[in-house]
Every structure is written in C-alpha cells, then in structure tokens.
Amino acid sequence: MSLVKLNIKGISYSQTQNGAYALILSEVDGDRKLPIVIGAFEAQSIAIALEKEIRPPRPLTHDLFKNFADRFDIVVKQVIIHKLVDGVFYSSMICERDKIEEIIDARTSDAIALALRFQAPIFTYKNILDKAGIYLKVNPKSDTENEDKILVDELIAEEVDAAIHENYKNKSLEELHQLLSEAVQNEDYELAAKIRDEISKR
C-alpha cells in the first residue's frame, strides 16, 4: 500500500462535542484533509509545538518524552497512521536507536505531538485517506499567509463534525452502546465521549 505524506493544517474546536478538538491534516500533493478528534490536552500540546515562540515554563508530558529520548539517543523517525476502525485512527511511531529501528504503538494525537517535537514526517496509507479524507473550503488567502494556522474557521469546524458523524450514522443504537462499553472498558475516554454524543443526538 502506498504512503501519503501529511502536513498539519490546524486545530479546530468541535462545535458539537464539548472539550473535543479536531486536528486537521492535509495531504501534501492533494486537496483532501483528514480530520482527527483529539482531547484538549493533546490539542494544547500540538498548538504549543506549532507555535515556536511559546515556551511553557515547565516541560509538558510530550516535552518530557522528547528530553528523555534525547538523553538516551532515541529518535522518532516518522509517524504512520496505519489503521481506521469505527472512526478511531491507530498510529505507529518508527523509532531508531543505535541504527536499530523499533515500531511503537501510540494514540494518533500523542504520535503527532511527538512528531512535531522530533520534526518527523507524518504519513498515512492511501486507502485510509480515500475512506476518511474530506474536501474543506479553506480561505486561500489565509493559507498563503500562514501555513501552520492554529485555529481553523468555524465553517470548517462544522464540516469536520459532519465528517466525524458519518463514521457512526450507519450504526444502530445497540451497536453504539456496545462500542461505548468497549471504549470505557479500554479506557479510551475520548472515543467514549464521541460515541456518547452520537447517542445523545439520536
């Protein structure tokens, strides 16, 4: 399967899911965007990494991981978003130490927060982009002025919410309750919040 390189376009506050943000990734040689729901802490961590001038007085969790990795000569070479199941993206970090590569499973939000700190490229597979990629109406003027725009327009936020809703609209209430139970059991509270919001809409 062919890999597609992604750039971070920005972060959008979700209009329908309290405390949730959508991380917008865009394909390098195309117009599709990949929206990924992330929590407030991860959104803050990614925003700080994008804003080079903001330096927190004490290291955040992802900064601590970077300092730890630097001390032991571990480098994150790249991040690959390799799977999409029931609206949840799964990612791997390709790490290297002493010229030996290791693959480490990670939540996509954490993997991207670390990719930024290691200046590592982000990829996904073409079939994932075909399945979950959307076309967003981005203001071209603001695009050229600021490639790493942190907050995306409310219009985009609404489109992102609609795209996320697509992942669950064909599920029955029984299936949604089952997914909710599994998410809580797996301590995936971000996913649980998304499913709960979808159940509430019904």
Coordinates of all heavy atoms in Angstrom, one line a residue, residues 50-145:
L50 N 3.5 23.8 17.5 CA 3.4 24.6 16.3 C 3.8 26.0 16.4 O 4.5 26.6 15.6 CB 2.0 24.5 15.7 CG 1.5 23.2 15.1 CD1 0.0 23.3 14.8 CD2 2.3 22.9 13.8
E51 N 3.5 26.6 17.6 CA 3.8 28.0 17.9 C 5.2 28.0 18.5 O 5.4 27.8 19.7 CB 2.8 28.6 18.9 CG 1.5 28.9 18.3 CD 1.5 30.2 17.4 OE1 2.6 30.9 17.4 OE2 0.5 30.5 16.8
K52 N 6.2 28.3 17.6 CA 7.6 28.2 18.0 C 8.0 29.2 19.2 O 8.9 28.9 19.9 CB 8.6 28.4 16.9 CG 8.3 27.5 15.7 CD 8.7 26.1 15.9 CE 8.7 25.2 14.7 NZ 7.4 24.8 14.3
E53 N 7.2 30.2 19.3 CA 7.6 31.3 20.2 C 7.0 31.0 21.6 O 7.4 31.6 22.6 CB 7.0 32.6 19.8 CG 7.7 33.1 18.5 CD 7.1 34.3 17.9 OE1 6.3 35.0 18.6 OE2 7.4 34.7 16.7
I54 N 6.1 30.0 21.8 CA 5.5 29.7 23.1 C 6.4 28.7 23.7 O 6.6 27.6 23.2 CB 4.1 29.2 22.9 CG1 3.2 30.3 22.3 CG2 3.5 28.8 24.3 CD1 1.8 29.9 22.1
R55 N 6.9 29.0 24.9 CA 7.7 28.0 25.7 C 7.1 27.9 27.1 O 7.2 28.8 27.9 CB 9.2 28.5 25.8 CG 10.0 28.3 24.5 CD 10.1 26.8 24.2 NE 10.9 26.7 22.9 CZ 12.2 26.3 22.9 NH1 12.8 26.1 24.1 NH2 12.8 26.1 21.8
P56 N 6.5 26.7 27.4 CA 5.9 26.6 28.8 C 7.1 26.6 29.8 O 8.2 26.2 29.5 CB 5.2 25.2 28.7 CG 5.8 24.5 27.5 CD 6.2 25.6 26.6
P57 N 6.8 27.2 31.0 CA 7.9 27.3 32.0 C 8.4 25.9 32.4 O 9.6 25.8 32.8 CB 7.2 28.0 33.2 CG 5.7 27.8 32.9 CD 5.5 27.7 31.5
R58 N 7.6 24.9 32.4 CA 8.0 23.5 32.8 C 7.6 22.6 31.6 O 6.6 22.9 30.9 CB 7.3 23.0 34.1 CG 7.5 23.9 35.3 CD 9.0 23.9 35.7 NE 9.3 22.6 36.2 CZ 10.6 22.0 36.1 NH1 11.5 22.7 35.5 NH2 10.8 20.8 36.6
P59 N 8.4 21.5 31.4 CA 8.1 20.7 30.2 C 6.7 20.0 30.4 O 6.4 19.4 31.4 CB 9.2 19.6 30.2 CG 9.8 19.7 31.6 CD 9.6 21.1 32.1
L60 N 6.0 20.0 29.3 CA 4.7 19.2 29.2 C 5.1 17.7 29.0 O 6.3 17.4 28.8 CB 3.9 19.7 28.0 CG 3.4 21.1 28.0 CD1 2.7 21.4 26.7 CD2 2.5 21.4 29.1
T61 N 4.1 16.9 29.1 CA 4.4 15.4 29.0 C 5.2 15.1 27.7 O 6.1 14.3 27.8 CB 3.1 14.6 29.1 OG1 2.4 15.0 30.2 CG2 3.3 13.1 29.1
H62 N 4.7 15.6 26.6 CA 5.4 15.3 25.3 C 6.8 15.9 25.3 O 7.7 15.3 24.7 CB 4.6 15.8 24.2 CG 3.2 15.1 24.1 ND1 2.1 15.8 24.3 CD2 2.9 13.8 23.8 CE1 1.0 14.9 24.2 NE2 1.5 13.7 23.9
D63 N 7.0 17.1 25.9 CA 8.4 17.6 26.0 C 9.3 16.7 26.9 O 10.4 16.6 26.6 CB 8.3 19.0 26.6 CG 7.5 20.0 25.8 OD1 7.6 20.0 24.6 OD2 6.8 20.8 26.4
L64 N 8.7 16.2 28.0 CA 9.4 15.3 28.9 C 9.9 14.1 28.1 O 11.0 13.6 28.2 CB 8.6 14.9 30.1 CG 9.1 13.9 31.0 CD1 10.4 14.4 31.7 CD2 8.1 13.5 32.1
F65 N 8.9 13.5 27.3 CA 9.3 12.3 26.5 C 10.4 12.7 25.5 O 11.4 11.9 25.4 CB 8.1 11.9 25.7 CG 8.3 10.6 24.9 CD1 7.9 9.4 25.3 CD2 8.9 10.7 23.6 CE1 8.1 8.3 24.6 CE2 9.1 9.6 22.9 CZ 8.7 8.3 23.3
K66 N 10.4 13.9 24.9 CA 11.4 14.3 24.0 C 12.8 14.4 24.7 O 13.8 14.0 24.2 CB 11.0 15.6 23.3 CG 12.1 16.3 22.5 CD 12.4 15.6 21.2 CE 13.1 16.4 20.1 NZ 14.4 16.8 20.5
N67 N 12.8 15.0 25.9 CA 14.0 15.2 26.7 C 14.6 13.8 27.1 O 15.8 13.6 27.0 CB 13.7 16.0 27.9 CG 13.3 17.4 27.6 OD1 13.6 17.9 26.5 ND2 12.7 18.1 28.5
F68 N 13.7 12.9 27.5 CA 14.1 11.6 27.8 C 14.7 10.8 26.6 O 15.7 10.2 26.8 CB 12.8 10.8 28.3 CG 13.1 9.4 28.8 CD1 13.4 9.2 30.1 CD2 13.0 8.3 27.9 CE1 13.7 7.9 30.6 CE2 13.2 7.1 28.4 CZ 13.5 6.8 29.7
A69 N 14.0 10.9 25.5 CA 14.5 10.3 24.3 C 15.9 10.8 23.9 O 16.8 10.1 23.5 CB 13.5 10.4 23.1
D70 N 16.0 12.2 23.9 CA 17.3 12.8 23.6 C 18.4 12.3 24.5 O 19.5 12.0 24.0 CB 17.2 14.3 23.7 CG 16.4 14.9 22.6 OD1 16.1 14.3 21.6 OD2 16.0 16.1 22.7
R71 N 18.1 12.2 25.8 CA 19.2 11.7 26.7 C 19.7 10.3 26.4 O 20.8 10.0 26.6 CB 18.6 11.8 28.2 CG 19.6 11.5 29.3 CD 20.7 12.5 29.4 NE 20.2 13.8 29.6 CZ 20.0 14.4 30.8 NH1 20.3 13.7 31.9 NH2 19.6 15.6 30.9
F72 N 18.8 9.5 25.9 CA 19.1 8.1 25.6 C 19.3 7.8 24.1 O 19.2 6.7 23.6 CB 18.1 7.1 26.2 CG 18.2 7.1 27.7 CD1 17.3 7.9 28.4 CD2 19.1 6.4 28.4 CE1 17.3 7.9 29.8 CE2 19.2 6.4 29.8 CZ 18.3 7.2 30.5
D73 N 19.5 8.9 23.3 CA 19.7 8.8 21.9 C 18.7 8.0 21.1 O 19.0 7.2 20.2 CB 21.1 8.2 21.6 CG 22.2 9.0 22.2 OD1 22.1 10.3 22.0 OD2 23.2 8.5 22.7
I74 N 17.4 8.3 21.4 CA 16.3 7.7 20.7 C 15.7 8.8 19.8 O 15.4 9.9 20.3 CB 15.2 7.1 21.7 CG1 15.8 6.1 22.6 CG2 14.0 6.6 20.9 CD1 15.0 5.7 23.8
V75 N 15.5 8.4 18.6 CA 14.9 9.4 17.6 C 13.6 8.8 17.0 O 13.6 7.7 16.6 CB 15.9 9.7 16.5 CG1 15.3 10.6 15.5 CG2 17.2 10.2 17.0
V76 N 12.6 9.7 17.0 CA 11.4 9.3 16.3 C 11.6 9.7 14.8 O 11.7 10.9 14.5 CB 10.1 10.0 16.9 CG1 8.9 9.7 16.0 CG2 9.9 9.6 18.3
K77 N 11.6 8.7 13.9 CA 12.0 8.9 12.5 C 10.7 9.3 11.7 O 10.8 10.2 10.9 CB 12.6 7.7 11.9 CG 13.8 7.2 12.6 CD 15.0 8.0 12.3 CE 15.5 7.7 10.9 NZ 16.8 8.5 10.6
Q78 N 9.6 8.7 12.0 CA 8.4 9.0 11.3 C 7.2 8.5 12.1 O 7.3 7.6 12.9 CB 8.4 8.5 9.9 CG 8.5 7.0 9.7 CD 8.6 6.6 8.3 OE1 8.8 7.4 7.4 NE2 8.3 5.3 8.0
V79 N 6.0 9.0 11.7 CA 4.7 8.5 12.3 C 3.9 8.1 11.1 O 3.8 8.8 10.1 CB 4.1 9.7 13.1 CG1 2.6 9.3 13.4 CG2 4.8 9.9 14.4
I80 N 3.2 6.9 11.3 CA 2.3 6.4 10.3 C 1.0 6.1 10.9 O 0.8 5.4 11.9 CB 2.9 5.1 9.7 CG1 4.3 5.3 9.0 CG2 1.9 4.5 8.6 CD1 4.9 4.1 8.5
I81 N -0.1 6.8 10.4 CA -1.4 6.5 10.7 C -1.8 5.3 9.9 O -2.1 5.4 8.7 CB -2.3 7.7 10.5 CG1 -1.8 8.9 11.2 CG2 -3.8 7.4 10.9 CD1 -2.5 10.2 10.8
H82 N -1.9 4.1 10.5 CA -1.9 2.9 9.7 C -3.3 2.2 9.7 O -3.5 1.2 8.9 CB -0.9 1.9 10.2 CG -1.0 1.4 11.6 ND1 -1.8 0.4 12.0 CD2 -0.5 1.9 12.8 CE1 -1.8 0.2 13.3 NE2 -1.0 1.1 13.8
K83 N -4.2 2.6 10.6 CA -5.5 1.9 10.6 C -6.6 2.8 11.0 O -6.4 3.7 11.8 CB -5.4 0.7 11.6 CG -6.5 -0.3 11.6 CD -6.2 -1.6 12.3 CE -6.0 -1.4 13.8 NZ -5.9 -2.7 14.5
L84 N -7.8 2.5 10.5 CA -9.0 3.3 10.9 C -10.1 2.3 11.2 O -10.5 1.6 10.3 CB -9.4 4.3 9.8 CG -10.8 5.0 9.9 CD1 -10.8 5.9 11.2 CD2 -11.1 5.8 8.7
V85 N -10.6 2.2 12.4 CA -11.6 1.3 12.8 C -12.7 2.0 13.6 O -12.4 2.6 14.6 CB -11.1 0.1 13.7 CG1 -12.2 -0.9 14.1 CG2 -10.0 -0.6 12.9
D86 N -13.9 2.0 13.1 CA -15.1 2.6 13.8 C -14.7 4.1 14.2 O -15.0 4.5 15.3 CB -15.4 1.8 15.1 CG -16.1 0.5 14.7 OD1 -16.7 0.4 13.7 OD2 -15.9 -0.5 15.5
G87 N -14.1 4.8 13.3 CA -13.9 6.2 13.5 C -12.6 6.5 14.3 O -12.3 7.7 14.6
V88 N -11.9 5.5 14.7 CA -10.7 5.7 15.5 C -9.5 5.4 14.7 O -9.4 4.4 14.0 CB -10.7 4.7 16.8 CG1 -9.4 4.9 17.6 CG2 -11.9 4.9 17.6
F89 N -8.5 6.4 14.7 CA -7.3 6.2 14.0 C -6.2 5.6 14.9 O -6.1 5.9 16.0 CB -6.8 7.6 13.5 CG -7.7 8.2 12.4 CD1 -8.7 9.1 12.8 CD2 -7.5 8.0 11.1 CE1 -9.5 9.6 11.9 CE2 -8.3 8.6 10.1 CZ -9.3 9.4 10.5
Y90 N -5.5 4.6 14.3 CA -4.4 3.9 15.0 C -3.1 4.3 14.4 O -3.0 4.4 13.1 CB -4.6 2.4 15.0 CG -5.8 1.9 15.7 CD1 -7.0 2.0 15.2 CD2 -5.6 1.3 17.0 CE1 -8.2 1.6 15.9 CE2 -6.7 0.9 17.7 CZ -8.0 1.0 17.1 OH -9.1 0.5 17.8
S91 N -2.1 4.6 15.2 CA -0.8 5.1 14.7 C 0.4 4.3 15.2 O 0.3 3.7 16.3 CB -0.6 6.6 15.0 OG -1.6 7.4 14.3
S92 N 1.5 4.4 14.5 CA 2.7 3.8 14.9 C 3.8 4.8 14.8 O 3.8 5.6 13.9 CB 3.1 2.6 14.1 OG 2.2 1.6 14.3
M93 N 4.8 4.8 15.8 CA 6.0 5.7 15.7 C 7.1 4.8 15.3 O 7.4 3.7 16.0 CB 6.2 6.4 17.0 CG 5.1 7.3 17.5 SD 5.6 8.3 18.9 CE 6.0 7.0 20.1
I94 N 7.9 5.2 14.3 CA 9.1 4.4 13.9 C 10.2 5.1 14.6 O 10.6 6.3 14.3 CB 9.3 4.4 12.4 CG1 8.0 4.1 11.6 CG2 10.4 3.5 12.0 CD1 7.4 2.8 11.9
C95 N 10.8 4.4 15.6 CA 11.9 5.0 16.4 C 13.2 4.3 16.0 O 13.2 3.2 15.6 CB 11.6 4.8 17.9 SG 10.0 5.6 18.4
E96 N 14.3 5.0 16.3 CA 15.6 4.5 16.0 C 16.6 4.8 17.1 O 16.6 5.9 17.7 CB 16.2 5.1 14.7 CG 17.5 4.4 14.3 CD 18.0 5.1 13.0 OE1 17.7 4.5 11.9 OE2 18.7 6.1 13.1
R97 N 17.4 3.7 17.5 CA 18.4 3.9 18.5 C 19.6 2.9 18.1 O 19.3 1.8 17.9 CB 17.9 3.5 19.9 CG 19.0 3.7 21.0 CD 18.4 3.6 22.4 NE 19.4 3.9 23.4 CZ 20.0 2.9 24.1 NH1 19.6 1.6 24.0 NH2 20.9 3.2 25.0
D98 N 20.8 3.5 18.0 CA 21.9 2.7 17.6 C 21.7 2.0 16.3 O 22.0 0.8 16.1 CB 22.3 1.7 18.7 CG 22.8 2.3 20.0 OD1 23.3 3.4 19.9 OD2 22.6 1.7 21.0
K99 N 21.1 2.7 15.3 CA 20.8 2.2 14.0 C 19.8 1.0 14.0 O 19.7 0.3 13.0 CB 22.1 1.9 13.2 CG 22.9 3.1 13.0 CD 24.2 2.8 12.2 CE 25.0 4.0 12.0 NZ 26.2 3.7 11.2
I100 N 19.1 0.8 15.1 CA 18.1 -0.3 15.1 C 16.7 0.4 15.2 O 16.5 1.2 16.1 CB 18.3 -1.2 16.4 CG1 19.7 -1.9 16.3 CG2 17.2 -2.2 16.5 CD1 20.1 -2.6 17.5
E101 N 15.8 0.0 14.3 CA 14.5 0.6 14.3 C 13.5 -0.2 15.1 O 13.6 -1.5 15.1 CB 14.0 0.7 12.8 CG 14.6 1.9 12.1 CD 13.9 2.2 10.8 OE1 13.0 1.4 10.4 OE2 14.2 3.2 10.2
E102 N 12.6 0.4 15.8 CA 11.6 -0.2 16.5 C 10.3 0.5 16.2 O 10.2 1.7 15.9 CB 11.8 -0.1 18.0 CG 13.1 -0.8 18.6 CD 12.9 -2.3 18.7 OE1 11.8 -2.8 18.5 OE2 13.9 -2.9 18.9
I103 N 9.2 -0.3 16.2 CA 7.8 0.3 15.9 C 7.1 0.3 17.2 O 7.0 -0.7 17.9 CB 7.1 -0.6 14.9 CG1 7.9 -0.6 13.5 CG2 5.7 0.0 14.7 CD1 7.3 -1.5 12.5
I104 N 6.6 1.5 17.6 CA 5.9 1.6 18.9 C 4.4 2.1 18.6 O 4.2 3.1 17.9 CB 6.6 2.7 19.8 CG1 8.0 2.1 20.1 CG2 5.8 2.9 21.1 CD1 8.8 3.1 21.0
D105 N 3.5 1.4 19.2 CA 2.1 1.8 19.0 C 1.8 3.0 19.8 O 2.3 3.2 20.9 CB 1.2 0.6 19.5 CG -0.3 0.9 19.4 OD1 -0.7 1.4 18.3 OD2 -1.0 0.6 20.3
A106 N 1.0 3.9 19.3 CA 0.7 5.2 20.0 C -0.7 5.7 19.6 O -1.2 5.4 18.5 CB 1.7 6.2 19.7
R107 N -1.3 6.5 20.5 CA -2.5 7.2 20.1 C -2.1 8.2 19.1 O -1.0 8.8 19.1 CB -3.2 7.9 21.3 CG -3.7 7.0 22.3 CD -4.5 7.7 23.4 NE -3.8 8.9 23.9 CZ -4.4 9.9 24.5 NH1 -5.7 9.9 24.8 NH2 -3.7 10.9 25.0
T108 N -2.9 8.5 18.1 CA -2.6 9.4 17.0 C -2.2 10.8 17.5 O -1.3 11.4 17.0 CB -3.7 9.4 15.9 OG1 -3.9 8.1 15.4 CG2 -3.3 10.4 14.8
S109 N -3.0 11.3 18.5 CA -2.7 12.6 19.0 C -1.4 12.7 19.6 O -0.6 13.7 19.4 CB -3.8 13.0 20.0 OG -4.0 12.0 21.0
D110 N -1.0 11.7 20.4 CA 0.3 11.6 21.0 C 1.4 11.5 20.0 O 2.5 12.2 20.1 CB 0.4 10.5 22.0 CG -0.4 10.7 23.3 OD1 -0.6 11.8 23.7 OD2 -0.9 9.7 23.8
A111 N 1.2 10.6 19.0 CA 2.2 10.4 18.0 C 2.5 11.7 17.2 O 3.7 12.0 16.9 CB 1.8 9.3 17.0
I112 N 1.5 12.5 16.9 CA 1.7 13.7 16.2 C 2.3 14.8 17.0 O 3.2 15.5 16.6 CB 0.3 14.2 15.6 CG1 -0.1 13.2 14.4 CG2 0.4 15.6 15.0 CD1 -1.5 13.4 13.9
A113 N 1.9 14.8 18.3 CA 2.6 15.8 19.2 C 4.1 15.5 19.3 O 4.9 16.5 19.4 CB 1.9 15.7 20.6
L114 N 4.5 14.3 19.3 CA 5.9 13.9 19.3 C 6.6 14.1 18.0 O 7.7 14.5 17.9 CB 6.0 12.5 19.8 CG 5.7 12.2 21.3 CD1 5.6 10.8 21.6 CD2 6.7 12.9 22.2
A115 N 5.8 13.8 16.9 CA 6.4 14.0 15.5 C 6.8 15.5 15.4 O 7.9 15.8 14.8 CB 5.4 13.6 14.5
L116 N 6.0 16.4 15.8 CA 6.3 17.8 15.8 C 7.6 18.1 16.5 O 8.5 18.9 16.0 CB 5.2 18.7 16.3 CG 4.0 18.9 15.4 CD1 2.8 19.5 16.2 CD2 4.4 19.8 14.3
R117 N 7.8 17.5 17.7 CA 8.9 17.8 18.5 C 10.2 17.2 17.9 O 11.3 17.7 18.2 CB 8.7 17.3 19.9 CG 7.7 18.3 20.7 CD 7.1 17.6 21.9 NE 6.4 18.6 22.7 CZ 5.1 19.1 22.4 NH1 4.5 18.6 21.3 NH2 4.5 20.0 23.1
F118 N 10.1 16.1 17.2 CA 11.2 15.5 16.6 C 11.4 15.9 15.1 O 12.3 15.4 14.4 CB 11.1 13.9 16.6 CG 11.4 13.3 18.0 CD1 10.4 13.1 18.9 CD2 12.7 13.0 18.3 CE1 10.6 12.6 20.2 CE2 13.0 12.4 19.6 CZ 11.9 12.2 20.5
Q119 N 10.5 16.8 14.6 CA 10.5 17.2 13.2 C 10.4 16.0 12.3 O 11.1 15.9 11.3 CB 11.7 18.1 12.9 CG 11.7 19.4 13.7 CD 12.8 20.3 13.4 OE1 13.9 19.8 13.1 NE2 12.6 21.6 13.5
A120 N 9.6 15.0 12.7 CA 9.5 13.8 11.9 C 8.3 13.9 11.0 O 7.3 14.5 11.3 CB 9.3 12.6 12.9
P121 N 8.4 13.3 9.8 CA 7.2 13.4 8.9 C 6.1 12.5 9.3 O 6.3 11.5 10.1 CB 7.8 12.9 7.6 CG 9.0 12.0 8.0 CD 9.5 12.6 9.2
I122 N 4.9 12.9 8.9 CA 3.6 12.1 9.2 C 3.1 11.5 7.9 O 3.0 12.2 6.9 CB 2.6 13.0 9.9 CG1 3.2 13.7 11.1 CG2 1.3 12.3 10.2 CD1 2.4 14.9 11.6
F123 N 2.7 10.2 8.0 CA 2.2 9.6 6.8 C 0.9 8.8 7.1 O 0.6 8.5 8.3 CB 3.2 8.5 6.2 CG 4.5 9.1 5.7 CD1 5.6 9.2 6.6 CD2 4.6 9.6 4.4 CE1 6.8 9.7 6.1 CE2 5.8 10.1 4.0 CZ 6.9 10.2 4.8
T124 N 0.1 8.6 6.1 CA -1.0 7.6 6.2 C -1.0 6.8 4.9 O -0.4 7.1 4.0 CB -2.3 8.3 6.5 OG1 -3.3 7.3 6.9 CG2 -2.9 9.1 5.3
Y125 N -1.8 5.8 4.9 CA -2.0 5.0 3.7 C -3.1 5.5 2.8 O -4.0 6.1 3.3 CB -2.3 3.5 4.1 CG -1.1 2.8 4.7 CD1 -1.1 2.4 6.0 CD2 0.0 2.4 3.9 CE1 0.0 1.8 6.6 CE2 1.1 1.8 4.5 CZ 1.0 1.5 5.8 OH 2.1 0.8 6.4
K126 N -2.9 5.4 1.5 CA -3.9 5.9 0.6 C -5.3 5.5 0.9 O -6.3 6.2 0.7 CB -3.4 5.6 -0.8 CG -4.3 6.2 -1.9 CD -3.8 5.8 -3.3 CE -4.7 6.4 -4.4 NZ -6.1 5.9 -4.3
N127 N -5.5 4.2 1.2 CA -6.8 3.7 1.4 C -7.5 4.3 2.6 O -8.7 4.5 2.7 CB -6.8 2.1 1.6 CG -6.1 1.7 2.9 OD1 -5.0 2.2 3.2 ND2 -6.6 0.7 3.5
I128 N -6.7 4.8 3.6 CA -7.3 5.5 4.8 C -7.8 6.9 4.4 O -8.8 7.3 4.7 CB -6.3 5.6 6.0 CG1 -6.1 4.2 6.5 CG2 -6.8 6.5 7.0 CD1 -5.0 4.1 7.6
L129 N -6.9 7.5 3.5 CA -7.3 8.9 3.1 C -8.5 8.8 2.1 O -9.4 9.7 2.2 CB -6.1 9.5 2.3 CG -6.1 11.0 2.2 CD1 -6.3 11.7 3.5 CD2 -4.8 11.4 1.5
D130 N -8.6 7.7 1.3 CA -9.8 7.5 0.5 C -11.0 7.3 1.3 O -12.1 7.8 0.9 CB -9.6 6.3 -0.4 CG -8.5 6.5 -1.5 OD1 -8.1 7.6 -1.8 OD2 -8.0 5.5 -2.0
K131 N -10.9 6.7 2.4 CA -12.1 6.4 3.3 C -12.5 7.6 4.1 O -13.7 7.8 4.3 CB -11.7 5.2 4.2 CG -12.9 4.7 5.0 CD -12.4 3.4 5.8 CE -13.5 3.0 6.7 NZ -13.1 1.8 7.5
A132 N -11.5 8.3 4.7 CA -11.8 9.3 5.7 C -11.5 10.7 5.3 O -11.8 11.7 6.0 CB -11.1 9.0 7.0
G133 N -10.8 10.9 4.1 CA -10.4 12.2 3.7 C -11.6 13.0 3.2 O -12.6 12.5 2.6
I134 N -11.6 14.3 3.5 CA -12.7 15.2 3.0 C -12.1 16.5 2.4 O -11.0 16.8 2.6 CB -13.6 15.6 4.2 CG1 -12.8 16.4 5.3 CG2 -14.4 14.4 4.8 CD1 -13.7 16.9 6.4
Y135 N -12.9 17.1 1.6 CA -12.5 18.4 1.0 C -13.1 19.5 1.8 O -14.3 19.6 2.0 CB -13.0 18.5 -0.5 CG -12.3 17.5 -1.4 CD1 -12.9 16.2 -1.6 CD2 -11.1 17.8 -2.0 CE1 -12.3 15.3 -2.5 CE2 -10.5 16.9 -2.9 CZ -11.1 15.7 -3.1 OH -10.4 14.8 -3.9
L136 N -12.3 20.4 2.3 CA -12.7 21.5 3.1 C -12.5 22.8 2.3 O -11.6 23.0 1.6 CB -11.9 21.6 4.4 CG -12.0 20.5 5.4 CD1 -11.2 20.7 6.6 CD2 -13.5 20.3 5.8
K137 N -13.5 23.8 2.6 CA -13.4 25.1 1.9 C -12.5 26.0 2.8 O -13.0 26.6 3.7 CB -14.8 25.7 1.8 CG -15.8 24.8 1.1 CD -17.1 25.5 1.0 CE -18.2 24.6 0.6 NZ -18.6 23.7 1.7
V138 N -11.2 26.0 2.5 CA -10.3 26.8 3.2 C -10.1 28.1 2.5 O -9.9 28.2 1.3 CB -8.9 26.1 3.4 CG1 -8.0 26.9 4.2 CG2 -9.2 24.8 4.2
N139 N -10.0 29.2 3.3 CA -9.7 30.5 2.7 C -8.3 30.5 2.1 O -7.3 30.4 2.8 CB -9.9 31.6 3.8 CG -9.7 33.0 3.2 OD1 -9.1 33.2 2.2 ND2 -10.1 34.0 4.0
P140 N -8.2 30.6 0.8 CA -6.8 30.5 0.2 C -5.9 31.6 0.6 O -4.7 31.4 0.7 CB -7.1 30.6 -1.4 CG -8.4 31.2 -1.5 CD -9.2 30.9 -0.2
K141 N -6.4 32.8 0.9 CA -5.6 33.9 1.3 C -4.9 33.6 2.6 O -3.7 33.8 2.8 CB -6.4 35.2 1.4 CG -5.6 36.4 1.8 CD -6.5 37.7 1.9 CE -5.6 38.9 2.3 NZ -6.4 40.0 2.6
S142 N -5.7 33.1 3.6 CA -5.1 32.8 4.9 C -4.1 31.6 4.8 O -3.2 31.6 5.6 CB -6.2 32.5 5.9 OG -6.9 31.3 5.5
D143 N -4.3 30.8 3.8 CA -3.4 29.6 3.6 C -2.0 30.1 3.3 O -1.1 29.6 3.8 CB -3.9 28.7 2.5 CG -4.6 27.5 3.0 OD1 -4.8 27.5 4.2 OD2 -5.0 26.6 2.2
T144 N -1.9 31.0 2.4 CA -0.6 31.5 1.9 C 0.0 32.4 3.0 O 1.2 32.4 3.1 CB -0.7 32.3 0.6 OG1 -1.7 33.4 0.8 CG2 -1.2 31.4 -0.5
E145 N -0.8 33.1 3.8 CA -0.2 33.9 4.8 C 0.4 33.1 6.0 O 1.3 33.5 6.6 CB -1.2 34.9 5.3 CG -1.5 36.0 4.3 CD -2.7 36.9 4.8 OE1 -3.2 36.6 5.9 OE2 -3.0 37.9 4.1

